[in-house]
Amino acid sequence: MARRAPTADPEDAGGSGRGPASWAAGVPGVAHALGQSFAQMGARRSLATLRLLNQVDGFDCPGCAWPDPDPNHRHAAEFCENGAKAVAEEATLRRVTPAFFAEHSLTDLAGRSGYWLGQQGRLVEPMLKTAGSDHYLPVGWDEAFGVIAAELTALASPDEAVFYTSGRTSNEAAFLYQLFVRAFGTNNLPDCSNMCHESSGTALTETIGIGKGSVTLEDLEEADLVLVVGQNPGTNHPRMLTSLEKVKRRGGSIVAVNPLPEASLMRFRNPQRPSGVVGAGTTLADQFLKIRLNGDLALFQALSRRLLDAEHAAPGTVLDHDFLAAHTTGFDAFAAHLRTLDDEEVSVATGLAAAEIDELAARVLAADKIIVCWAMGLTQHANAVGTIREVVNFLLLRGNIGRPGAGVCPVRGHSNVQGDRTMGIWERMPDAFLDRLGAEFHFSPPRHHGYDVVDAIRAMRDGRASVFVGLGGNFVAATPDSAVTEAAIRSCRLTVQISTKLNRSHAVTGQVALILPTLGRTEVDVQAGGPQVVTVEDSMGSVHASRGTIAPAGPALRSEVAIVTGLAAATFAARLAHRGSVPAADAAGAPAADPAWADPASQVAPVVDWAGLAGDYRHVRAHIARVIPGFDGYEEKIVQPGGFLLPHPPRDAREFRTPSGRAVFTVNPLTVLRVPPGHLLLQTVRSHDQYNTTIYGRDDRYRGVRGARRVVLVNPDDLATLGLADGDRVDLVSVWTDGAQRRAEDFRIIAYPTARECAAAYFPETNVLVPLDSTAERSNTPTSKSLVIRLEPRA
Ligand SMILES: Nc1nc2c(c(=O)[nH]1)N[C@H]1C(S)=C(S)[C@@H](COP(=O)(O)OP(=O)(O)OC[C@H]3O[C@@H](n4cnc5c(=O)[nH]c(N)nc54)[C@H](O)[C@@H]3O)O[C@H]1N2
Ligand SMILES: Nc1nc2c(c(=O)[nH]1)N[C@H]1C(S)=C(S)[C@@H](COP(=O)(O)OP(=O)(O)OC[C@H]3O[C@@H](n4cnc5c(=O)[nH]c(N)nc54)[C@H](O)[C@@H]3O)O[C@H]1N2
Ligand SMILES: [Mo]
């Protein structure tokens, strides 16, 4: 029964590689998207759905977290090709029915590719797999909640359960979910962010006192210089290209720092402007630094060093001395450390010529307002937190934080991943949040930190956790060390997936498994109190309403809010019956005086009207407004077109809520990743035709790859050194300090102009290569962008 992920996908046989495209978007992009939409939804439904995408009266795109322009500046079609694909994937007319599960056993499903699973359509009925069975059977909602409640109540400690969240969940569902989990008695709230921007949150909180980006869309558009570092916006945040184009039109410049010459950064044709469809497009990047994987810490140190040298040569002309004196701490130690920077080390770490860094430094000196944007190319490395702290150091030197047109811009992934964090989805929420949550609901939230993603896998592997609940996402496919993770999940007593679409996490399960089908962002959500809206927060801290517009995929579907509240009500009822004890609050809702109240295990249930909250989400927002700063007047603010901006002290007032009250310069040791002879560094990336583990197709158009996903991109000079050639078939073998060899079988080599010694291949196929224990210092994020591998020719 324990079948491994399929290594050979029969439909993924050949494919071709033609090298990177020289431009991105334009006609093929939109035509491609509409083609996919029509195939999944039919023409009428496609146009009706896409018309409301990212409009004030419509729904928020379930794709990425890039912000929408203010309502007066929105296009009639304010979406991109990949947003349209995300919508088509959700609004598909295909259905996964009980008959489907009668036909396909779990063993069968575990042998299918992620692409095949996703293509089967929307989940429409709650399904239960009992212990020992290899099939899911339909189950009623109440019975499903009863199964979960019984398993949760039987645990020796609430910490034996893990509650994962992926970043599409609405603010309302996320808030109730963390409330339920904390009232149940644990902080085990791992989320996709642990694998994503955790390093950004850690570094920014330490240095500027808040783990979020400090710029708005308007800031971005008025910057003089935008550095796009470790990010592939043409595929992953296509609407960002429109903003970058505006930067160019206003005379600003853009620099791309990336081991791959990503097409979108080179040239862009805007499908929303007629000239973009017919014209030559805009050349976006003024400079492209083809950096070695993991070389960014060295690059930012080298840049800052050049600024310090320039200041030395012409005192008082380079650094923002007023800002440094009034708002920062730690400058002297930082400057002293940079004086020891070794050019030779920088050259090895970055693979860049000194002249390239000089050119960038000259651009920096010429720019008054600078923004640095980044994504997974910075966050998924062992030294990721240090690298992002260096980005902050670099910006602080010239006062590039907390004034218009300047700042830090970590570009988030999932459409509400930032909102979920704001709502308390985090295994380490600060005490101030827990205090207010406890006061609002008259209970005492647990204080000890919970498990993040990597620790949750370890806990399941080691038998310290045996119930897994996933609010969205695809845990077994998105996480590292697939073989270890799948075994960990299979050792659980119960696994529960609250999902829209079928994926590998429904096939690789605990002894007992449940699928709870949920409404997606595109669908109308009607509750006892009438039609509901939910709210989301974008990558720049702006919160707005999202209203589904199409009919639900099936009558049995429930909203995430309804599922979470149903689960909570059932669990606390079961706990009450199980303990045979009285609720720890009296009828009036006052907290019990019993000192045992402080012990979460002794709590039975907080005073919450779960059904009432599910009936009308305005009641949920009223609680959020009282618990979370920045949400006062929530209900009134979300009816304003475009929503409202959450407070951000550095952006709003140059206020830094660090222990010293100042922005912090940090000292970060430069470690150079040296690759043993015969080996390469591998980064695992997204193709143009996927959304994380959801595979839309097998092309990666902008990189010129057609019809294949099991490919590895390698520099031709490295191929020559390794005695390999374009088209060769190889296994990817990762080597790690634990001595274990992790193997991904049968990849085809594509000769590609990536940085020397730096290969690239797609995830999730390559997650088997990422060692569980290979994580970033302090953020514990898996190092998905720097794996030491060798290529073994297939016999
Ligand atoms: N269509 C679509 N949209 C998406 C997603 C999707 O899968 N599909 N995923 C969403 C999610 S959850 C996220 S987090 C974002 C991810 O957005 P990205 O971070 O853009 O996604 P990746 O494909 O991981 O690309 C990483 C980029 O960083 C570069 N890079 C890798 N290592 C390094 C390095 O060491 N230094 C530098 N300078 N560059 C490096 C890679 O070459 C690549 O261009 O996108 C979101 N949007
Ligand atoms: N090797 C490697 N691994 C990585 C990464 C990498 O770059 N390299 N990137 C990491 C990153 S940045 C991230 S964010 C994670 C992503 O990890 P996850 O967020 O766990 O994965 P997704 O593939 O986005 O999850 C897709 C599933 O979510 C469900 N879903 C979709 N929409 C909804 C909805 O509205 N509600 C609910 N309840 N369910 C829904 C569907 O069932 C779908 O199959 O992967 C990480 N893993
Ligand atoms: Mo992400």
Side-chain angles (χ1 to χ4, degrees):
M1 190 164 142
R3 227 153 114 182
R4 283 200 301 154
T7 48
D9 179 348
E11 295 152 63
D12 195 349
S16 66
R18 293 194 220 157
S22 57
W23 53 268
V27 171
V30 173
H32 194 75
L34 290 179
Q36 296 235 357
S37 302
F38 289 176
Q40 296 268 353
M41 303 193 271
R44 254 234 247 104
R45 192 170 158 99
S46 296
L47 295 174
T49 310
L50 294 176
R51 191 184 63 76
L52 288 164
L53 179 47
N54 286 336
Q55 299 302 328
V56 171
D57 56 347
F59 56 91
D60 183 64
C61 181
C64 74
W66 190 254
D68 306 318
D70 81 62
N72 301 327
H73 291 99
R74 274 184 216 175
H75 293 272
E78 188 60 49
F79 60 89
C80 69
E81 172 195 353
N82 277 344
K85 286 195 244 170
V87 168
E89 182 76 16
E90 181 175 301
T92 177
L93 295 169
R94 301 175 195 159
R95 300 287 177 264
V96 176
T97 60
F100 171 91
F101 288 110
E103 194 182 324
H104 298 282
S105 65
L106 274 85
T107 308
D108 173 2
L109 297 177
R112 305 282 180 165
S113 71
Y115 179 51
W116 187 90
L117 292 171
Q119 288 295 306
Q120 303 312 304
R122 284 289 296 277
L123 296 159
V124 285
E125 297 277 345
M127 303 296 298
L128 170 67
K129 181 202 96 72
T130 51
S133 166
D134 196 25
H135 276 274
Y136 281 104
L137 290 173
V139 63
W141 281 102
D142 288 344
E143 195 187 336
F145 291 144
V147 168
I148 304 167
E151 294 288 349
L152 287 177
T153 313
L155 294 174
S157 152
D159 290 330
E160 292 177 10
V162 167
F163 298 89
Y164 176 69
T165 312
S166 168
R168 269 195 200 172
T169 295
S170 66
N171 283 349
E172 289 75 3
F175 181 79
L176 292 173
Y177 187 58
Q178 63 83 32
L179 170 64
F180 158 58
V181 170
R182 295 197 159 99
F184 174 67
T186 182
N187 282 309
N188 288 345
L189 285 157
D191 67 350
C192 65
S193 223
N194 297 145
M195 301 180 273
C196 185
H197 267 293
E198 194 68 58
S199 305
S200 307
T202 305
L204 293 177
T205 304
E206 286 173 5
T207 54
I208 65 166
I210 176 168
K212 297 182 182 182
S214 73
V215 300
T216 63
L217 214 47
E218 291 70 43
D219 287 322
L220 190 73
E221 288 165 10
E222 70 174 82
D224 299 323
L225 173 63
V226 178
L227 273 67
V228 182
V229 189
Q231 199 203 338
N232 180 21
T235 286
N236 298 311
H237 308 90
R239 286 180 303 115
M240 178 176 175
L241 298 183
T242 307
S243 299
L244 293 179
E245 193 192 33
K246 287 191 188 151
V247 173
K248 296 288 306 214
R249 293 183 162 257
R250 276 196 46 267
S253 47
I254 292 168
V255 172
V257 182
N258 202 306
L260 296 174
E262 304 285 28
S264 65
L265 294 168
M266 302 304 140
R267 215 208 246 308
F268 170 54
R269 291 180 188 169
N270 189 342
Q272 288 162 352
R273 275 191 305 110
S275 65
V277 178
V278 292
T282 312
T283 304
L284 283 184
D286 297 273
Q287 191 187 353
F288 167 50
L289 292 101
K290 192 190 272 193
I291 198 166
R292 202 167 164 267
L293 284 169
N294 195 46
D296 305 270
L297 190 152
L299 173 64
F300 280 97
Q301 289 192 341
L303 278 177
S304 293
R305 169 65 192 264
R306 280 164 172 73
L307 296 183
L308 294 177
D309 290 349
E311 171 73 19
H312 190 73
T317 62
V318 174
L319 306 186
D320 184 340
H321 291 281
D322 293 344
F323 175 76
L324 295 180
H327 295 292
T328 69
T329 173
F331 173 81
D332 292 342
F334 163 72
H337 180 241
L338 281 200
R339 276 194 287 277
T340 69
L341 189 65
D342 177 20
D343 289 340
E344 184 52 33
E345 296 256 287
V346 170
S347 151
V348 176
T350 61
L352 298 170
E356 292 178 272
I357 306 178
D358 291 341
E359 183 189 333
L360 178 52
R363 291 179 189 284
V364 169
L365 287 169
D368 176 39
K369 297 172 277 185
I370 302 181
I371 289 177
V372 180
C373 301
W374 71 88
M376 298 303 100
L378 290 199
T379 64
Q380 298 175 332
H381 292 282
N383 59 359
V385 174
T387 301
I388 296 160
R389 298 201 313 186
E390 282 304 342
V391 170
V392 173
N393 287 336
F394 162 74
L395 289 171
L396 290 176
L397 286 176
R398 282 165 62 85
N400 272 309
I401 288 189
R403 62 187 168 88
V408 284
C409 182
V411 182
R412 303 278 163 180
H414 268 300
S415 52
N416 197 38
V417 62
Q418 187 158 317
D420 291 347
R421 271 293 162 92
T422 306
M423 293 297 120
I425 303 290
W426 194 28
E427 71 282 355
R428 290 180 277 153
M429 282 307 277
D431 282 335
F433 173 90
L434 299 175
D435 290 342
R436 287 191 300 269
L437 185 73
E440 176 74 9
F441 295 100
H442 309 289
F443 79 114
S444 135
R447 299 285 165 156
H448 58 286
H449 291 173
Y451 300 137
D452 63 11
V453 163
V454 166
D455 285 337
I457 295 168
R458 290 178 178 137
M460 291 186 278
R461 176 194 65 192
D462 301 341
R464 284 176 285 119
S466 60
V467 173
F468 175 93
V469 180
L471 180 53
N474 183 2
F475 191 84
V476 299
T479 50
D481 232 344
S482 312
V484 175
T485 299
E486 295 199 355
I489 284 281
R490 287 189 194 277
S491 74
C492 283
R493 169 72 195 147
L494 170 70
T495 54
V496 181
Q497 300 292 339
I498 302 166
S499 321
T500 52
K501 298 289 299 270
L502 191 64
N503 64 44
R504 188 160 178 81
S505 299
H506 304 112
V508 177
T509 71
Q511 284 175 284
V512 178
L514 276 158
I515 299 175
L516 304 180
T518 187
L519 294 176
R521 192 81 58 76
T522 53
E523 288 158 317
V524 175
D525 178 359
V526 179
Q527 302 294 335
Q532 303 297 317
V533 301
V534 293
T535 54
V536 292
E537 176 183 341
D538 67 30
S539 191
M540 293 176 175
S542 169
V543 178
H544 64 274
S546 175
R547 190 180 285 105
T549 52
I550 59 174
L557 294 187
R558 291 202 179 170
S559 73
E560 290 182 337
V561 166
I563 294 171
V564 168
T565 51
L567 185 53
T571 301
F572 294 121
R575 184 182 267 186
L576 200 62
H578 186 78
R579 299 251 167 95
S581 56
V582 290
D586 65 26
D594 182 354
W597 181 240
D599 168 17
S602 75
Q603 288 176 210
V604 176
V607 184
V608 180
D609 173 13
W610 298 104
L613 292 174
D616 189 339
Y617 302 174
R618 286 178 300 179
H619 300 321
V620 185
R621 287 189 285 273
H623 283 300
I624 294 172
R626 285 192 294 268
V627 172
I628 305 179
F631 285 84
D632 32 277
Y634 198 178
E635 202 60 44
E636 299 82 72
K637 286 185 190 160
I638 61 166
V639 297
Q640 296 165 15
F644 65 101
L645 208 54
L646 288 175
H648 187 289
R651 180 198 64 208
D652 302 336
R654 283 201 158 172
E655 219 181 282
F656 299 95
R657 302 206 175 143
T658 58
S660 62
R662 287 159 174 262
V664 182
F665 277 99
T666 55
V667 171
N668 306 289
L670 170 56
T671 45
V672 181
L673 264 186
R674 285 175 207 274
V675 184
H679 290 71
L680 299 170
L681 273 181
L682 176 76
Q683 61 156 324
T684 59
V685 281
R686 293 151 172 82
S687 83
H688 193 66
D689 271 0
Q690 75 183 84
Y691 194 96
N692 300 338
T693 69
T694 298
I695 312 301
Y696 303 134
R698 289 195 177 79
D699 296 339
D700 192 3
R701 207 169 64 245
Y702 298 156
R703 297 196 186 111
V705 179
R706 307 264 162 190
R709 289 187 51 83
R710 296 187 85 82
V711 293
V712 57
L713 314 184
V714 186
N715 184 294
D717 295 335
D718 289 323
L719 287 178
T721 313
L722 295 170
L724 294 165
D726 182 89
D728 284 2
R729 298 214 165 251
V730 290
D731 287 352
L732 314 184
V733 180
S734 79
V735 294
W736 167 245
T737 52
D738 63 3
Q741 291 192 1
R742 294 170 175 82
R743 181 179 298 265
E745 285 173 24
D746 200 10
F747 280 61
R748 193 167 52 78
I749 293 177
I750 293 180
Y752 201 86
T754 168
R756 285 296 307 270
E757 294 189 327
C758 299
Y762 305 126
F763 93 102
E765 288 83 347
T766 46
N767 273 5
V768 66
L769 299 173
V770 187
L772 185 64
D773 294 333
S774 176
T775 60
E777 288 147 36
R778 305 220 309 293
S779 68
N780 213 22
T781 296
T783 59
S784 309
K785 295 289 191 275
S786 44
L787 306 168
V788 177
I789 62 155
R790 62 170 183 268
L791 306 179
E792 285 191 2
R794 308 255 313 162

